[in-house]
Amino acid sequence: MNVKLALAVLLLLPLQAAAQGFAGLGTDAEGFTTPDPATVLEFPADHGAHPDYRIEWWYLTANMTGPDGTDYGLQWTLFRSALAPRDGYGWDTPQLWMGHAAITTPDAHFVAERLARGGIGQAGVTATPFAAWIDDWTMQGDDFDTLRLTASGPDFAYDVGLTVAGPLVLHGQNGYSVKSAAGQASHYYSQPSFKLTGTLTLPQGEVVVTGSAWLDREWSSQPLGADQTGWDWFSLSFDSGDKMMGFVLRGAKDYTSATWIGADGRTEALPDGAFTATPLLEHRVAGRTLPVEWRVQLPAKGVDVTVAALNRDAWMATSVPYWEGPVTVSGSHAGRGYLEMTGYDD
Amino acid sequence: MTGAVLSALLGHWRRNPLQLFTLLAGLALGTALWSGVQAINAEARASYDAAAATLGEGSYGQIVARDGGEIGQETYVALRRGGWLVSPVVEGRLGPVRIIGIEPLTAPRGVGPLGLGEQADLGAFLTGEGQIFGRADTLAQLAETGARLVDAPDVAPATAIMDIGLAQRLLGREGRIDRLILAPDQPLSRPALSTLAPDLVEAARQDGGDVARLTDSFHLNLTAFGLLSFVVGLFIVHGAIGLAFEQRRPMVRTLRALGVPLRRLIALMALELVGLGLVAGLAGVALGYAVAAALLPDVAATLRGLYGADVSGQLTLRPAWWLSGLAIAMGGTAVASAGALLSLARMPLLASAHPRAWAMARGGVRLAVLAVALLALAGGLALWGRGLLAGFAMLAALLVGGALVLPPLLGQALRVAEGRATGVLAQWFWADTRQQIPGLSLSLMALLLAMTANVGVSTMVSSFRLTFTGFLDQRLASELYVSASDAAQAADIVAVAGAGVKAILPILSVEAKAASQPVEVYGARDHATYRDNWQLLRSFPDVWDRLAQGEGVLVNEQLYRRGGVDLGALVAVSPRLTLPVLGIYGDYGNPLGQVIVNEAVFAGQFPDVVALRFGLRVDPSEVAALRKTLRDQAGVPESAMVDQAAIKALSLSVFERTFTVTTALNVLTLAVAGFAMLMSLLTLATMRLPQLAPVWALGLTRRKLALLDLVRAVVLAALTGALALPLGLALAWALLAVVNVEAFGWRLPMYLFPLDYLRLGGLALLAAALAALWPAWRLSQMPPVQLLGVFRNER
């Protein structure tokens, strides 16, 4: 899933986590369109922006390996947040954009953030040809299957190419993903099968990498229940070729959801409770305590694995801070993936 | 025991309320002027800081258009998309208010009002009618826009901050940007600025801001005034404390004989002084606040007029200022009383309690040598010194040396007068006057300093005004000045005005760099207006013809002095063209260097720059009609047209404000000096009885004696004034020829104002006479028994 973050609005509104969920995602959907289970996603149009929804993101994570066998992680995210349910031209538009980029190595984590107003061309997304950008950070290609991804920060940069190796995956019910027992939901699909080649620029120099990437697309207007304070999200790619996505929304009562993606490309949505994640080891980072090692179980598919962070300090010290980093998988299945944890207050 | 001793010590003040008053008033007056000036300076600096902080001017680099003009919004987006982390700012004026539009999402931390308080709400700031942040008095001056007004005391005075979108709309400049703030952390690699936006240049970060640098000398002037008054105040305090201690010597001897330890006695006297210092300090600070509050509006108007610096007209009470005012009062008390306490500590237990020692024992020779050395140092610095610091060191040496040389000079003058005097009474008068010099020298020095400052500062300000108004008459030769908002309107103006005016003089300018100085390059049309009105400081023959031929440039005095470009030196007008200097012109009221080239040369070097400002030559009686035509037919708003008379009136009103401030400070220092004299004379009056009684006994009436005292005060003031005049002129010269050149880059001709000096001299004599009046009247009314008592009590 990736009920990832929203945005700049929150930079300045006091974060009332208890009342409004993590980063204001539990606020009312007043005036905005709300997700509808009857909606049929259409591509390539739905790769583009949906300004009548409050929040939306293009969220890519990648696991990579260097020439010497070192593992790396990469993140490229573009968030859209609307102050009002309309688009517009010039400074008048209520559409705000936020970009997060990161590279994780076994012993370092590089982060950068960008903010921009819509309406003046500084940031935005077009469906055909596909382009998502904020400042000099871009994810673009002639279509959605072959993309070039760039980002840079004060101490890092990357420039990688992505080629699709599998079909799009619609989560939940044809892309309608329920987020709480009260019925909050989002439109949510993924492209979990990008092949990646490219170059990372680190303080030590350039590193040529190859690997795989996972792109999440999600939009909604009120994705969290008011009592939900954060989530733990896993995207795992097993050596067998199978993949799975699973999340726990922490609230008065935890809500879980998962999607199984078989090596043959067939997907299966699993209901609340089918997926469980239990913390095994906690770690202190940025003044908070977070689980950096998990026992993840999906009995329906015979999954019982230990998920461990490649770098326990993969803290995103951005306007809305969270933990996001590459993980290794061992146990019933071996593999790697990405872990995201939000709503852990200090 | 402590209580008894304290009550004995305080008993002295009960019996001598006048002395107590002198002490407190002297300290309070000195502290008041010092802290008043400090309050004004602090307010101004806080305003500059607020302005710089609001705009990030002090903390972040800037990118501006090479030609100083505006930047298209698409250029901003191109830079962002190229990886340059910049944030746009648009600026302008709506009436008296400076409008600043910022983009809060990209602005570096600390820029703009978000984060100023709890009121920041990005949604409200960005969308709907928006929000405007400013001080309450600023917001009150804005027309209704529908935006929510947010009172933000941290915003600079006369400044309103809002979202860039709202600012562009209010200023009618959609899609335009004035400058870009450069974020401190830029990404790893990005294309060069010259590749992405060849028309833009990076401007250096300016610590503290231009304004603070520009106004430094103005504030230094104020500080000097404050310090001078404080020193004068200290003279008074020193006198009062010295006298009180002398008079208490018998009491001290008695107390010690009764068994009070010296250490405790000194501690209690110090405690007593601390108490007095505290009382006087508090009164002084309160008084200083009143002085500052009264002067600040005028100072603010002056700063705005002279430097375009917005300074709040309202005084804020700052704890640091209160404390520093109290501290300087206490420090002053300590300095003024150190000598008295020291001599008390050294006093042998059974010493004579003779209080006469005080008035006589001022060692003369060493001070005279020091005075001459200081004056020599001032002369040396004037001849060979370089830099602002040397200029101020020279001022200090001149003033202190002048003050110290006063008593020996007075003594010498009186000795000469005594030698020439015929008749016993005249001889006695001169000898007696000379005998009083030590007791009066401190207050006379105070008078000297006050008069010197008066002469010096008023000469400088008057010279500046005379030069500047003359300069305005030359420079503002056109009757009407019009600004166009864009090239299309500029063309309309030329078309509309063309028929009815004698000449249209386009004013072309770009910002550039020459002789490693930031300069403005102007393109001037060859026209009689320039030839007839401009007076050059120095020039080659046929300068105007050669300028018209494009054979060279004119530079202003600032560039000539700072960049060292003399006649004939080569100046790079642009990267492609270098021309020799043909003439140098005076340019007052502008801190930057300027280069003037012929219109055709300008067009060749800067083809993209179109004239947006015009000087229109028209019959003065037709100005009003022309304004109306331009407004109706070319759509020029009233605010974009300024007639010559209005500019001159504005400039002159600035000077009137400056004069108000200067005059007020002059009168205050003179009043403090007069008060010092009064107190010295009152002190001397009682002590001089043993000298007066014999003269009275020889047949001189009390009335006659009192009259002689009055005459004596006036004579001393006149002699002091005679020294103050040359000293004041030297001060004025130093300010005009040294300090101004260093601070502003221009040297002003010095004009003399004999009538002013005469009036000042009269004022000083009046102050002295007034100061002497009361002691003289008391002498004339003194019961004969008191004079007789001198003989009875003779020790």
Side-chain angles (χ1 to χ4, degrees), chain B residues 23-296:
Chain B
L23 180 68
L24 293 178
L27 198 54
L29 279 179
T31 308
L33 277 185
W34 165 258
S35 57
V37 164
Q38 289 305 308
I40 290 174
N41 285 348
E43 193 63 49
R45 297 227 166 87
S47 292
Y48 308 148
D49 287 350
T54 311
L55 307 171
E57 279 161 349
S59 324
Y60 302 105
Q62 313 265 333
I63 291 178
V64 295
R66 193 178 294 279
D67 63 5
E70 50 187 18
I71 303 171
Q73 200 156 288
E74 64 288 348
T75 309
Y76 159 69
V77 174
L79 277 176
R80 289 292 306 196
R81 299 234 42 205
W84 281 74
L85 298 189
V86 290
S87 186
V89 176
V90 67
E91 280 181 75
R93 277 194 178 267
L94 276 185
V97 181
R98 182 181 180 199
I99 300 290
I100 297 179
I102 56 158
E103 204 291 286
L105 291 191
T106 48
R109 194 170 290 273
V111 172
L114 301 175
L116 279 182
E118 297 305 309
Q119 317 180 60
D121 171 349
L122 191 61
F125 192 77
L126 295 184
T127 56
E129 300 300 326
Q131 288 180 322
I132 300 179
F133 283 72
R135 298 186 179 194
D137 55 333
T138 308
L139 297 176
Q141 293 175 294
L142 283 173
E144 176 60 38
T145 60
R148 198 165 77 80
L149 304 178
V150 182
D151 181 11
D154 289 352
V155 172
T159 303
I161 300 180
M162 61 201 72
D163 180 56
I164 184 165
L166 177 57
Q168 286 179 344
R169 206 161 63 236
L170 290 185
L171 297 169
R173 297 181 53 203
E174 275 87 350
R176 317 311 297 169
I177 291 169
D178 287 307
R179 54 197 176 81
L180 300 166
I181 302 173
L182 197 54
D185 284 333
Q186 295 288 328
L188 265 189
S189 62
R190 63 218 144 101
L193 185 62
S194 54
T195 315
L196 286 175
D199 292 338
L200 302 189
V201 285
E202 256 184 84
R205 182 161 68 92
Q206 287 161 345
D207 284 309
D210 263 352
V211 166
R213 195 165 47 81
L214 268 181
T215 52
D216 257 358
S217 68
F218 183 87
H219 292 300
L220 263 167
N221 276 348
L222 285 181
T223 306
F225 255 121
L227 199 60
L228 210 61
S229 311
F230 185 69
V231 170
V232 168
L234 279 195
F235 283 137
I236 304 176
V237 177
H238 183 81
I241 291 181
L243 177 64
F245 275 57
E246 287 291 331
Q247 289 179 342
R248 284 197 290 188
R249 282 176 84 116
M251 182 208 296
V252 167
R253 194 180 53 177
T254 310
L255 285 172
R256 288 196 58 199
L258 286 172
V260 180
L262 178 63
R263 200 176 288 256
R264 175 170 313 185
L265 200 55
I266 289 181
L268 284 175
M269 290 182 105
L271 187 72
E272 174 192 37
L273 286 174
V274 168
L276 291 174
L278 217 56
V279 170
L282 280 174
V285 172
L287 208 57
Y289 184 81
V291 168
L295 288 183
L296 192 59

Side-chain angles (χ1 to χ4, degrees), chain A residues 38-307:
Chain A
T39 303
V40 176
L41 299 188
E42 287 174 21
F43 300 103
D46 277 325
H47 294 320
H50 302 79
D52 48 334
Y53 289 77
R54 190 196 295 276
I55 51 167
E56 181 163 21
W57 48 78
W58 293 255
Y59 208 115
L60 186 132
T61 51
N63 294 97
M64 303 160 295
T65 313
D68 61 352
T70 307
D71 282 333
Y72 296 94
L74 168 157
Q75 179 192 346
W76 190 103
T77 315
L78 184 61
F79 301 96
R80 181 188 59 77
S81 174
L83 296 166
R86 62 183 170 88
D87 208 348
Y89 182 73
W91 298 112
D92 186 40
T93 178
Q95 303 286 330
L96 308 183
W97 297 83
M98 173 164 78
H100 286 176
I103 293 179
T104 313
T105 74
D107 40 38
H109 183 69
F110 304 95
V111 183
E113 177 176 51
R114 298 291 175 85
L115 297 170
R117 306 266 282 271
I120 57 164
Q122 191 186 340
V125 175
T126 58
T128 331
F130 179 76
W133 75 93
I134 181 165
D135 295 344
D136 54 327
W137 301 2
T138 56
M139 173 159 60
Q140 61 182 346
D142 293 336
D143 54 38
F144 203 63
D145 294 342
T146 314
L147 299 174
R148 183 177 169 209
L149 188 72
T150 62
S152 62
D155 47 4
F156 77 96
Y158 54 74
D159 186 346
V160 299
L162 305 169
T163 317
V164 140
L168 289 177
V169 171
L170 309 184
H171 298 287
Q173 178 194 339
N174 293 321
Y176 178 81
S177 169
V178 178
K179 294 297 188 280
S180 79
Q184 271 84 15
S186 65
H187 292 298
Y188 182 15
Y189 70 89
S190 299
Q191 173 46 271
S193 312
F194 279 117
K195 293 289 168 214
L196 176 151
T197 58
T199 309
L200 311 183
T201 306
L202 297 172
Q204 299 85 338
E206 295 194 343
V207 183
V208 176
V209 290
T210 56
S212 57
W214 180 306
L215 174 67
D216 266 0
R217 282 279 294 114
E218 188 158 9
W219 61 98
S220 178
S221 291
Q222 189 202 7
L224 290 192
D227 67 308
Q228 292 176 326
T229 57
W231 61 84
D232 306 299
W233 173 88
F234 300 81
S235 68
L236 306 178
S237 301
F238 302 123
D239 294 347
S240 60
D242 300 321
K243 301 174 198 298
M244 65 163 286
M245 183 286 297
F247 60 83
V248 183
L249 281 161
R250 303 191 304 277
K253 183 179 177 306
D254 286 357
Y255 183 89
T256 75
S257 175
T259 302
W260 179 262
I261 306 157
D264 55 3
R266 279 195 303 192
T267 62
E268 189 178 334
L270 295 146
D272 182 17
F275 164 89
T276 59
T278 318
L280 293 179
L281 176 73
E282 299 207 306
H283 175 65
R284 212 142 161 90
V285 53
R288 308 143 209 249
T289 304
L290 294 94
V292 289
E293 224 175 279
W294 293 78
R295 181 176 182 190
V296 170
Q297 292 166 290
L298 189 63
K301 296 293 174 187
V303 174
D304 186 351
V305 294
T306 301
V307 172

